């Protein structure tokens, strides 16, 4: 049997994989139970969602550290633009600060930024990307003071209208170049970028700015925009190639498994999901 | 009132807009009725789907010419790769030849190629793109002898798994460069490319190889992968900017409206759909 002990620490769980972030879905485990389940399997890192740690970030962060599980990060910033945002710029900024505070309280390393969609009354993405740039630039110093790194996550272009006018790694590094804050980088999620032949070129621009790498799989026939992600190996993404590309670009952090799957993985026993996830990470990534 | 007489000829109808290509959906008009409806409104071009003209391509082509409506093209090639293809390479090639014959019989100018998804047993898109290149290269000479131009249409990355491993204008021009046939070009559809900030760069490579420009709109909140396209003006795409970009890159052909909309436009009176389409073309594109 292959010995995975050397690289097992590279695996992290994003709790979305167990449906934790959706009320009524998933395992129903507490944050502490989820930490324990990771520790038992040698899963070395965990990423929480804000509702799971609200009001008890410091306690949960301490619990994870004591269990030997690193809090890799927190999902996520508020939408900064578009129809799903809080609309009022002050409300958006206040919640952005709050998300940074929560990441710091957890002793989390990275807060993921999902930027939001196209601003009302505008066409195309350029105007919205300008608003994103302003709203991210406004919080970088504060995040740095809190010891928090910020990762811009380009989402799949199918979310361009409502969830993320930031759709490519190219645009994400362009934003990083423009804002030029040392604690601002990019999260690469295979679900969002697997189709992009320009990715290898863009990763040459990384220069230490890849702050996260997310795993799942793109199912050959995807049936739902949001909640039909596949387990690694069940889809068509070249996971090994993508992981190599990101690691060759200098990334040495966790591989974070994040699977939104309302009709399949969220319905299974969470212990089984974690077991399959560990096995697949080693066999197909 | 604004005078549209000078540019009205630039508008073409893709019959998908009336639901013609889906059995049981849409107007239920014959090809001839659709031609007449275009002619009455000064819509100067039409694009058919293969099931609509099967066995009577020459007759329908002649009817359209006599009505003063140009047959801009035919939709579409068989899927050349992936799960929705005919699988057997010989069957695929035979049907590809047949689609070329049908385009020629219609006196259509362009056959649109939708390439198909990821080949079974492979990961990522590179291997499938190689198969696409081989299968397109194999028919270019024959199409040229028939007077048919071939337009590779990059589809939105959300179709990458099953319908089109060709997802960007960049990859489409790369394929054109590689195959280097004078009758091979690219179709730009705003639905598929509206999010792509690299598009202006890629259009600089056009050199007369834009063979089609397709209009609809990307709805801010899209609810169905295939059949929820918006009428121009109802979504978030920068249609004016996209049209300018394509025309500044040298394109002088028709603007072809292609709207798959099972829950909205396909349920309306087709006369109203065409009237709105003409009005929107002039007011928002």
């Amino acid at each position: 049997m292959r010995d995975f002990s050397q690289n097992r620490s590279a695996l992290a769980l994003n709790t979305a994989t167990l449906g934790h972030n959706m009320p009524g879905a998933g395992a129903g485990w507490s944050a502490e139970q989820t930490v324990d389940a990771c520790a038992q399997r040698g899963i070395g890192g965990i990423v929480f969602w804000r509702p799971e740690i609200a009001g008890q970030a410091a306690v949960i962060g301490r619990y994870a550290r004591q269990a030997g599980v690193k809090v890799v990060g927190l999902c996520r910033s508020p939408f900064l633009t578009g129809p799903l945002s809080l609309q009022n710029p002050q409300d958006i900024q206040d919640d952005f600060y709050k998300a940074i505070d929560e990441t710091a309280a957890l002793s989390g390393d990275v807060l993921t930024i999902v930027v939001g969609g196209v601003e009302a009354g505008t066409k195309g993405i350029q105007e919205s990307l300008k608003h994103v740039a302003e709203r991210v630039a406004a919080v970088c110093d504060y995040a740095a003071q809190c010891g928090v790194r910020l990762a811009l996550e380009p989402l799949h272009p199918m979310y361009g209208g409502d969830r993320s006018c930031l759709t490519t790694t190219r645009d994400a590094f362009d934003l990083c170049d423009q804002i030029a804050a040392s604690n601002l980088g990019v999260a690469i999620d295979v679900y969002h970028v697997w189709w992009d032949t320009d990715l290898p070129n863009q990763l040459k621009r990384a220069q230490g700015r890849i702050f996260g790498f997310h795993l799942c799989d793109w199912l050959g026939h995807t049936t739902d925009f949001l909640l039909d992600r596949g387990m690694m190996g069940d889809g068509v993404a070249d996971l090994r190639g993508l992981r190599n590309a990101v690691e060759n670009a200098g990334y040495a952090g966790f591989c974070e498994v994040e699977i939104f799957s309302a009709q399949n993985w969220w319905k299974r026993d969470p212990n089984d999901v974690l077991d399959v996830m560990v096995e697949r990470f080693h066999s197909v990534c």
Side-chain angles (χ1 to χ4, degrees), chain A:
Chain A
M1 191 174 162
R2 194 169 147 199
D3 175 17
F4 297 131
S5 56
Q6 287 200 303
N7 60 356
R8 181 151 309 184
S9 69
L11 179 61
L13 171 73
N14 182 305
T15 58
T17 303
L18 303 182
H20 275 188
N21 60 316
M22 306 293 284
W29 284 348
S30 68
E32 287 83 353
Q33 284 174 297
T34 310
V35 165
D36 290 343
C38 287
Q40 285 157 16
R41 290 168 176 82
I43 298 169
I46 192 164
V47 175
F48 291 106
W49 285 68
R50 291 175 67 192
E52 299 160 5
I53 56 98
Q56 46 175 344
V59 173
I60 292 171
R62 196 176 313 119
Y63 188 92
R65 279 195 301 285
Q66 287 171 352
V69 177
K70 177 163 176 59
V71 179
V72 177
L74 185 64
C75 287
R76 57 176 172 70
S77 75
F79 292 118
L80 307 180
T81 57
L84 302 176
S85 76
L86 292 168
Q87 304 298 326
N88 180 327
Q90 188 60 51
D91 291 343
I92 294 169
Q93 189 171 51
D94 288 348
D95 194 50
F96 206 171
Y97 278 118
K98 192 174 168 208
I100 292 166
D101 288 339
E102 288 169 353
T103 311
L106 262 179
S107 294
D109 181 33
V110 171
L111 174 66
T112 300
I113 301 175
V114 173
V115 305
V118 174
E119 292 278 55
T122 72
K123 298 288 185 179
I125 62 173
Q126 296 294 359
E127 192 68 23
S128 302
L129 282 175
K130 281 182 201 163
H131 291 191
V132 168
E134 291 162 10
R135 289 166 190 176
V136 171
V139 304
C140 283
D141 279 353
Y142 180 74
Q145 288 161 23
C146 297
V148 170
R149 298 196 294 166
L150 302 171
L152 288 162
E153 182 169 3
L155 298 200
H156 193 286
M158 70 187 177
Y159 302 122
D162 49 3
R163 292 181 175 268
S164 178
C165 59
L166 184 70
T167 61
T168 63
T169 307
R170 176 178 185 266
D171 292 344
F173 280 128
D174 282 354
L175 271 182
C176 287
D177 287 347
Q178 184 185 336
I179 297 170
S182 62
N183 63 327
L184 180 65
V186 169
I188 304 291
D189 185 317
V190 299
Y191 189 76
H192 301 306
V193 306
W194 74 274
W195 53 272
D196 186 1
T197 58
D198 192 34
L199 184 68
N201 291 329
Q202 296 304 323
L203 291 178
K204 291 176 189 162
R205 302 168 61 187
Q207 299 178 301
R209 295 181 296 182
I210 303 173
F211 288 179
F213 178 56
H214 305 173
L215 283 170
C216 67
D217 211 337
W218 180 274
L219 296 176
H221 183 61
T222 296
T223 58
D224 184 276
F225 276 92
L226 206 57
L227 304 178
D228 189 28
R229 298 191 186 194
M231 178 62 73
M232 296 86 76
D234 290 345
V236 298
D238 176 15
L239 299 178
R240 238 180 223 133
L242 290 162
R243 184 179 175 189
N244 282 340
V246 166
E247 292 182 350
N248 288 338
Y251 182 71
F254 284 88
C255 297
E256 171 189 338
V257 176
E258 183 182 31
I259 302 174
F260 298 83
S261 170
Q263 298 306 316
N264 185 356
W265 297 98
W266 287 1
K267 291 188 166 175
R268 302 196 189 196
D269 181 325
N271 288 293
D272 295 343
V273 175
L274 292 178
D275 289 342
V276 173
M277 171 184 125
V278 170
E279 192 282 317
R280 296 287 183 88
F281 175 62
H282 296 299
S283 63
V284 303
C285 303

